[in-house]
Amino acid sequence: MPSLKDLRNRISSVKATQKITKAMQMVAAAKLRRAQEAAEAARPYSQRMNAVIAKLAANLKGREGVSPFLAGTGREDVHLLVICTAERGLCGGFNANIAKLAASHADRLIREGKTVKMLCVGRKGHEALKRQYGDLMIDDPVDLKQVKRLRFTHAHEIADRLIRMFDAGEFDICTLFYSEFRSVISQKPTALQLIPARFEEEEPQETVETASGAPAAYTYEPDEAEILNDLLPRNVSVQVFRALLENAASEQGARMTAMDNATRNAGEMIGKLTLSYNRQRQAQITKELIEIISGAEAL
Amino acid sequence: MAEALKLELVSPEKELASRLVKQVVVPGTEGEFVAMPGHAPLLSTIKPGVLVISEISGQETRYFVRGGYAEMANDQLIVLAERAIPLKQLDAAEIEKEIRWAEEDLEDARDDEERRKLQERLDFLKQLKQALELGH
């Protein structure tokens, strides 16, 4: 049975923790709003980029000489997994979920006899995966810890590196792992095939547009294939940028939820501890009274 | 024929403009072109340069744009640029200084990776400078 003093100490320590979690929750809420705004501001660009590439790609389908960013290298032996996670912890299952998805992906590919390479963006993913897949990591994690506000140039640097590796033939297929921001309480770990590029949702929308608008006899400057070759590498940057922004919003959302839970748990715990503290105090008073009374009676 | 042209200028970080304008001069890879209402459908990549927007009010707004494409269709011009900076935010002296620094850094660069990055930055700055000189 802990003494009264112990209980007092525990209560004050839990209260201090609660203050911290509460503050973190509030900070996360403020950052979440900004991250969400940034993610939304970036959406038109990536949507339009996707639409144009999908249109060009559909026109050029099956023709010779299509960029390997779209058609692939013709092999699928070497897979590069790019895993985007947060730089900080204390955000519930956010980092663990992405790492788990990437790990299950990697395990499946290894079972199929493919070569797997990994590149981590963000320290946490690297920490979670290095024990098991340390020898697959091609480099130290890309460090974004100093980054206060995510800019396109950050994504561009990562994408640039991927493109150079791809050109050097270091991998055939590149998959990006990140967490899609659904809502504050729901983030979905997602795998997105980056190279060769995949387009699914955009195409139906495209047919509607051409059907309603003028007959789309576009003039292309330079020709279609060249535009496509110019845009595809750019699209890699755009996709990485989008993934990073979604990730940033998800991270803050996850942290907010986690810290909200922690604050609530701390509150519950304070209640329980206070109750047992009061009971014990009362018991002690009763005991002292009995001692005094029985002492008086004995006289 | 419509009177105005709907312009959408989008960079990865945000939508910079979405409004009706009179005409836009676009620095296309194969030469500049003027986008006006009623222009035939066109899809062109852009080269680093200055995008000149003629507003309805008669004023001109200039942007430095780099990397992307312009799509013209149905009296609507969509410009997607990786970098788009309002020209009036740029200062020639500042850029000159940055260029000097970048050049010094380039001389001190230790490995290829660093050199490549700096070279990229230097190229970008030089494009900016060129755009400024042409734009004013």
Side-chain angles (χ1 to χ4, degrees):
Chain A
M1 194 73 172
S3 72
L4 278 180
K5 189 165 187 318
D6 287 344
L7 278 173
R8 258 201 312 272
N9 285 343
R10 293 237 356 235
I11 290 173
S12 70
S13 124
V14 176
K15 271 188 181 155
T17 312
Q18 192 189 27
K19 270 187 197 134
I20 296 172
T21 56
K22 181 101 199 181
M24 282 184 76
Q25 185 206 337
M26 254 129 73
V27 171
K31 282 191 179 164
L32 170 70
R33 207 174 50 87
R34 256 188 301 167
Q36 229 176 322
E37 272 167 18
E40 265 157 33
R43 219 161 272 163
Y45 191 86
S46 81
Q47 277 168 355
R48 293 201 186 286
M49 190 63 128
N50 248 330
V52 161
I53 294 183
K55 179 161 63 186
L56 287 170
N59 287 355
L60 288 175
K61 200 169 271 172
R63 267 196 241 170
E64 293 276 308
V66 179
S67 161
F69 285 107
L70 191 67
T73 52
R75 281 166 295 144
E76 34 183 74
D77 301 330
V78 186
H79 287 249
L80 177 71
L81 310 184
V82 181
I83 301 142
C84 303
T85 52
E87 291 288 349
R88 274 168 248 267
L90 286 178
C91 43
F94 172 74
N95 291 314
N97 285 343
I98 301 175
K100 210 158 68 189
L101 180 71
S104 75
H105 220 83
D107 286 339
R108 189 172 52 79
L109 290 172
I110 291 169
R111 266 203 308 281
E112 286 170 11
K114 317 270 195 220
T115 314
V116 177
K117 292 177 179 181
M118 284 189 182
L119 177 69
C120 287
V121 179
R123 196 167 52 93
K124 282 287 163 190
H126 186 255
E127 277 169 13
L129 293 166
K130 75 176 165 204
R131 187 186 298 247
Q132 209 179 343
Y133 304 101
D135 46 337
L136 302 178
M137 302 273 173
I138 47 170
D139 204 355
D140 290 336
V142 178
D143 192 2
L144 293 174
K145 190 156 198 184
Q146 310 304 327
V147 176
K148 284 252 160 55
R149 209 183 135 213
L150 212 51
R151 294 234 162 233
F152 186 65
T153 39
H154 300 127
H156 188 70
E157 260 170 45
I158 297 169
D160 216 34
R161 193 160 151 195
L162 295 179
I163 288 165
R164 267 180 295 127
M165 282 174 64
F166 185 67
D167 284 340
E170 288 179 41
F171 63 85
D172 301 315
I173 291 178
C174 174
T175 315
L176 189 68
F177 291 87
Y178 66 100
S179 195
E180 196 187 289
F181 183 80
R182 288 266 176 83
S183 72
V184 180
I185 46 162
S186 146
Q187 300 87 29
K188 188 170 164 265
T190 314
L192 173 81
Q193 186 173 320
L194 205 56
I195 303 172
R198 284 266 177 87
F199 301 100
E200 284 145 30
E201 311 122 65
E202 319 304 327
E203 286 189 50
Q205 194 192 342
E206 195 48 47
T207 47
V208 177
E209 204 174 299
T210 39
S212 63
Y218 275 86
T219 319
Y220 293 97
E221 257 180 47
D223 62 38
E224 287 169 283
E226 239 171 281
I227 295 180
L228 196 59
N229 289 351
D230 183 62
L231 291 185
L232 280 167
R234 291 186 198 285
N235 189 45
V236 176
S237 315
V238 174
Q239 295 301 333
V240 173
F241 187 53
R242 202 177 65 97
L244 289 179
L245 286 174
E246 292 266 342
N247 235 11
S250 301
E251 181 197 342
Q252 299 307 340
R255 177 164 298 129
M256 209 175 105
T257 323
M259 288 300 117
D260 188 41
N261 285 338
T263 311
R264 208 170 314 125
N265 287 346
E268 266 169 37
M269 192 168 226
I270 290 171
K272 272 190 204 148
L273 286 171
T274 315
L275 187 69
S276 87
Y277 173 78
N278 284 341
R279 282 222 179 109
Q280 218 175 317
R281 194 175 64 100
Q282 214 166 11
Q284 201 167 348
I285 293 168
T286 320
K287 206 178 90 195
E288 279 168 12
L289 274 178
I290 291 171
E291 274 166 13
I292 294 169
I293 294 167
S294 47
E297 271 177 359
L299 282 178
Chain B
M1 194 176 95
E3 288 296 297
L5 177 73
K6 175 111 166 64
L7 167 76
E8 286 190 28
L9 178 60
V10 194
S11 85
E13 276 161 23
K14 62 173 185 236
E15 204 172 50
L16 288 161
S18 174
R19 58 174 182 257
L20 291 174
V21 299
K22 217 189 275 170
Q23 64 167 51
V24 182
V25 181
V26 184
T29 315
E30 307 206 324
E32 288 195 345
F33 62 88
V34 183
M36 291 170 94
H39 195 292
L42 171 78
L43 188 68
S44 166
T45 48
I46 54 178
K47 65 170 190 224
V50 186
L51 185 87
V52 185
I53 304 168
S54 305
E55 309 282 356
I56 303 265
S57 63
Q59 283 172 327
E60 280 192 348
T61 319
R62 288 158 193 269
Y63 282 95
F64 171 77
V65 290
R66 177 178 183 237
Y69 74 89
E71 183 184 5
M72 176 77 220
N74 304 334
D75 288 337
Q76 190 182 29
L77 177 73
I78 301 167
V79 181
L80 253 70
E82 254 169 39
R83 299 290 293 266
I85 309 167
L87 215 55
K88 62 174 181 250
Q89 274 179 19
L90 296 172
D91 175 17
E94 196 71 23
I95 291 169
E96 200 64 50
K97 202 161 72 189
E98 290 273 333
I99 287 179
R100 265 206 313 282
W101 282 347
E103 275 168 349
E104 278 168 24
D105 285 350
L106 194 61
E107 279 168 26
D108 299 338
R110 274 159 305 184
D111 50 53
D112 283 347
E113 178 67 19
E114 207 179 317
R115 202 164 300 129
R116 193 187 54 77
K117 265 187 200 166
L118 283 166
Q119 189 63 52
E120 226 169 64
R121 173 158 174 74
L122 191 61
D123 289 345
F124 171 64
L125 287 167
K126 283 189 176 154
Q127 285 165 2
L128 269 182
K129 190 181 155 203
Q130 208 181 1
L132 260 185
E133 279 162 5
L134 290 174
H136 286 301

